[in-house]
Amino acid sequence: MTSLKTDVLIIGGGLTGCALASRVKEGCPTLTVTIVEAGPNSTGDPRTIDPIGGFELAMSELDWAYMTVPQRNTNNRSHYNAAGKTLGGGSVLNYGGWSRGDATDYDDWARRAGDKRWSYEGLLPYFRKSEHHLNPEYDGFQTEQHGFEGPLKIASISRSDAGRKYGLREPIRSAFSELRIPFNPDANSGHVLGLAEVDENWDDGVRQPSHLAYSLKGVEVITDTVVARIKFSDDSGYKASGVVLADGRQITVKREVIISAGAHRTPQILMLSGIGPTVELSKNGIPTISELPEVGANMFDHYALFQWWNLHHPDMALGSPKWTLPSLFKGLPNDWVVREHIAEADRDQALKSDKVDSLSTTALSNPARPHVETLLIYAAGPSEAVGLNLPVDGTAAMSSVMLTVPTSRGRISLASADINDKPIVDPNYYDTAFDRACLIYGTRRIMQALLETKAGKEVIDSEIVPPGAAPLNARSTDHEIDARIRAVGMPHAHAAGSAAMGKVVDTKLRVFSVQGLRVADASVFPVPISGHPQATLYALAELAADLILEDLQ
């Protein structure tokens, strides 16, 4: 550590933290900007470079690998929550999918926050600022919706490499088309419903982690260093004046502290610093600086059901000896994403059963709002989680049916007053009738596509049933599908909402009731976003930098 003083300190050098540090330094070069990251700088580690290496990162030393408490709605199982513990954070661990949410997601966010900056149109300049789209010239691509000068290279799978042609591409497209799911030529344009090609942010098969895509020139980066809590001066109201590290050292901060530690760790740091529910703080012997009961509350995640499928032809998936072209390994082997709004009657019955408030009912009933996402990956995938232990030999594929806008809410709480003790993670997965209706609907749809359409039956032989589970098909009862989801469902590791805008931070990301402290990560999402989070997080970082510079300059 070369300095114990800085103007701006960012706790967490993950996806958002690195992008934010880069833009703040770029916008005001005279500011000293420091990142403190708990994990190492893993640049050069072969596991962090290409898509296949990424499979080895789960549960590694670069992963916080949080485990939930047993979940009452999933047969009392504990669930693994991946979270990057390395410079670059989740951008080092993720699988490279690039998907904005629907415009209705962000417009719901803006209505709840009372600030149009967080609407889709408000965020659009920041989505564009992060992107460098490649090969965009095709029918239906909405040029005005995308960026071409940003740091992150984005391309659809078929345009990432002319030789990247998977044998399942056309059969799977035809199967979903037989279900009359309309084709969407540009699902990253604010309207995501339908069958669309997957976009990615691999650069010719090489990962683009945040700390390399965004320049950190001039930013002081301190790795392998844990922040224990934030210090406050109380001479003119509580103002963040620095941080205390886990080893007892301190860093003085002249202007602002920004927490970008992720949806699990950000609320933990807030509470250890005396900001949160008084009952929770008192229980752990922590003096209250600011009583904010919603710190740690409102947590949500994209819960999902994964299924595995025997293929008729063993040369159509990862592991086949016939896969010799390097182009086939330049990203996750898949082509399509399907997003749907569930049947109106099912939706209304579930929302009524849950006694959902009128604002949420209106938002979730918008016919443009996607409720469920389906992906088919041409690989056996991590089947160990459900007890299958399938070989990656080209004989099997994996599907994911994911809740996009879950209504279940959980909480992060403290295990102790020691930062070295991981927080208690209770996501309360699959707790609402709405979530159950959405996942049951989506699971039935993937089985209709793969087992009942002409195109699906030509390539899919059968489902590979997890040990102890009953076989499923498109005509299984809701109860039978629900039982499978409870038995083997798992999250996509997209935790968010645990320091929500309007409850913990204002629309400029400033923590209520204190000064000089902000949060900039997925914790601040007040509502779920139907896309996978990284595109939204980069846009958030870009906007956050403008908000911070506006106040500091």
Side-chain angles (χ1 to χ4, degrees):
M1 186 182 297
T2 60
S3 172
L4 293 175
K5 291 184 179 180
T6 189
D7 291 322
V8 176
L9 186 136
I10 299 172
I11 302 172
L15 183 157
T16 312
C18 288
L20 176 59
S22 174
R23 292 306 197 194
V24 170
K25 185 66 178 178
E26 177 186 275
C28 187
T30 59
L31 285 173
T32 54
V33 179
T34 301
I35 292 171
V36 180
E37 165 56 38
N41 183 347
S42 57
T43 302
D45 185 325
R47 299 171 298 174
T48 70
I49 295 171
D50 61 44
I52 304 305
F55 287 111
E56 301 178 41
L57 294 175
M59 296 283 194
S60 74
E61 75 282 7
L62 304 183
D63 181 3
W64 284 104
Y66 297 105
M67 295 299 297
T68 74
V69 299
Q71 296 292 286
R72 65 192 178 110
N73 302 306
T74 67
N75 296 359
N76 289 313
R77 291 181 295 129
S78 293
H79 294 264
Y80 160 58
N81 279 205
K85 187 183 180 183
T86 174
L87 194 64
S91 67
V92 173
L93 268 65
N94 69 32
Y95 292 108
W98 188 263
S99 58
R100 300 176 190 172
D102 193 84
T104 56
D105 300 329
Y106 305 105
D107 293 347
D108 187 17
W109 177 339
R111 274 192 300 272
R112 291 170 185 273
D115 190 333
K116 292 182 179 179
R117 281 181 292 203
W118 297 98
S119 69
Y120 182 74
E121 287 302 317
L123 282 168
L124 182 57
Y126 300 100
F127 282 121
R128 296 181 62 179
K129 189 175 181 180
S130 70
E131 296 176 342
H132 179 177
H133 260 272
L134 305 173
N135 306 318
E137 299 302 325
Y138 61 88
D139 289 344
F141 184 83
Q142 299 185 44
T143 304
E144 72 283 358
Q145 291 284 326
H146 299 285
F148 303 94
E149 297 179 356
L152 294 157
K153 295 177 182 177
I154 312 298
S156 65
I157 286 177
S158 65
R159 291 170 181 82
S160 64
D161 189 299
R164 194 176 169 195
K165 297 178 180 178
Y166 298 111
L168 285 171
R169 178 180 174 87
E170 292 309 319
I172 298 305
R173 177 175 181 166
S174 296
F176 284 115
S177 296
E178 284 186 55
L179 297 184
R180 299 185 178 179
I181 296 173
F183 179 63
N184 183 341
D186 188 354
N188 276 321
S189 63
H191 304 287
V192 308
L193 289 177
L195 169 70
E197 191 171 6
V198 171
D199 283 351
E200 302 173 308
N201 72 329
W202 297 100
D203 180 12
D204 197 31
V206 176
R207 186 181 291 279
Q208 300 177 85
S210 179
H211 64 291
L212 298 181
Y214 282 79
S215 171
L216 293 181
K217 182 179 180 181
V219 175
E220 182 173 15
V221 179
I222 303 168
T223 56
D224 298 298
T225 301
V226 173
V227 172
R229 61 181 176 86
I230 299 155
K231 295 191 304 175
F232 293 92
S233 61
D234 58 1
D235 50 352
S236 58
Y238 287 107
K239 181 182 186 303
S241 59
V243 297
V244 178
L245 305 180
D247 62 11
R249 290 178 298 163
Q250 299 188 14
I251 301 176
T252 299
V253 179
K254 300 175 186 175
R255 306 295 294 276
E256 292 214 3
V257 175
I258 302 140
I259 311 177
S260 295
H264 300 88
R265 204 162 181 83
T266 284
Q268 181 188 24
I269 293 171
L270 284 169
M271 288 186 280
L272 292 179
S273 304
I275 300 172
T278 296
V279 171
E280 179 78 5
L281 303 181
S282 299
K283 184 172 67 177
N284 289 281
I286 300 167
T288 300
I289 297 293
S290 176
E291 161 70 4
L292 289 180
E294 296 297 321
V295 171
N298 194 54
M299 179 194 179
F300 45 81
D301 201 343
H302 288 145
Y303 194 68
L305 178 67
F306 293 82
Q307 291 173 277
W308 285 262
W309 308 92
N310 281 313
L311 300 174
H312 282 304
H313 311 288
D315 58 347
M316 288 188 165
L318 183 67
S320 167
K322 294 185 178 181
W323 280 32
T324 57
L325 293 175
S327 56
L328 298 176
F329 302 92
K330 289 189 174 181
L332 203 63
N334 68 328
D335 284 295
W336 307 109
V337 57
V338 174
R339 299 184 186 92
E340 294 188 272
H341 188 102
I342 68 170
E344 182 178 341
D346 294 341
R347 178 200 72 201
D348 291 347
Q349 181 179 350
L351 292 173
K352 182 178 180 180
S353 174
D354 290 333
K355 298 180 180 179
V356 172
D357 64 86
S358 59
L359 179 61
S360 297
T361 296
T362 299
L364 292 167
S365 299
N366 187 321
R369 195 89 183 259
H371 295 153
V372 65
E373 174 203 270
T374 300
L375 292 164
L376 187 74
I377 311 299
Y378 315 145
S383 60
E384 299 83 1
V386 299
L388 284 172
N389 300 307
L390 298 175
V392 182
D393 60 2
T395 62
M398 178 183 75
S399 63
S400 158
V401 175
M402 183 187 88
L403 286 170
T404 54
V405 284
T407 57
S408 300
R409 295 292 183 269
R411 176 177 284 278
I412 300 291
S413 53
L414 295 176
S416 76
D418 186 345
I419 189 63
N420 294 307
D421 291 335
K422 291 180 179 179
I424 297 170
V425 181
D426 185 6
N428 196 29
Y429 297 132
Y430 202 55
D431 189 54
T432 62
F434 179 78
D435 287 2
R436 293 190 288 274
C438 292
L439 265 190
I440 290 168
Y441 174 88
T443 302
R444 193 180 304 283
R445 292 290 273 173
I446 185 68
M447 293 189 293
Q448 288 173 340
L450 300 185
L451 300 178
E452 294 200 341
T453 65
K454 179 177 182 294
K457 288 188 287 188
E458 287 177 354
V459 291
I460 301 296
D461 177 68
S462 59
E463 187 201 9
I464 305 172
V465 181
L472 293 178
N473 58 58
R475 301 179 191 189
S476 296
T477 66
D478 286 358
H479 177 74
E480 290 167 335
I481 296 173
D482 176 70
R484 173 73 71 83
I485 294 167
R486 291 178 186 275
V488 299
M490 62 186 87
H492 261 263
H494 298 163
S498 52
M501 187 175 291
K503 297 180 178 181
V504 177
V505 301
D506 66 13
T507 60
K508 297 188 77 172
L509 305 175
R510 299 173 299 198
V511 176
F512 290 132
S513 302
V514 297
Q515 300 175 43
L517 178 63
R518 300 190 206 228
V519 174
D521 60 27
S523 302
V524 306
F525 291 9
V527 294
I529 300 301
S530 57
H532 293 226
Q534 72 164 336
T536 300
L537 288 171
Y538 280 116
L540 184 150
E542 296 279 8
L543 174 52
D546 276 3
L547 296 174
I548 291 164
L549 290 166
E550 180 181 287
D551 285 351
L552 292 185
Q553 291 180 320

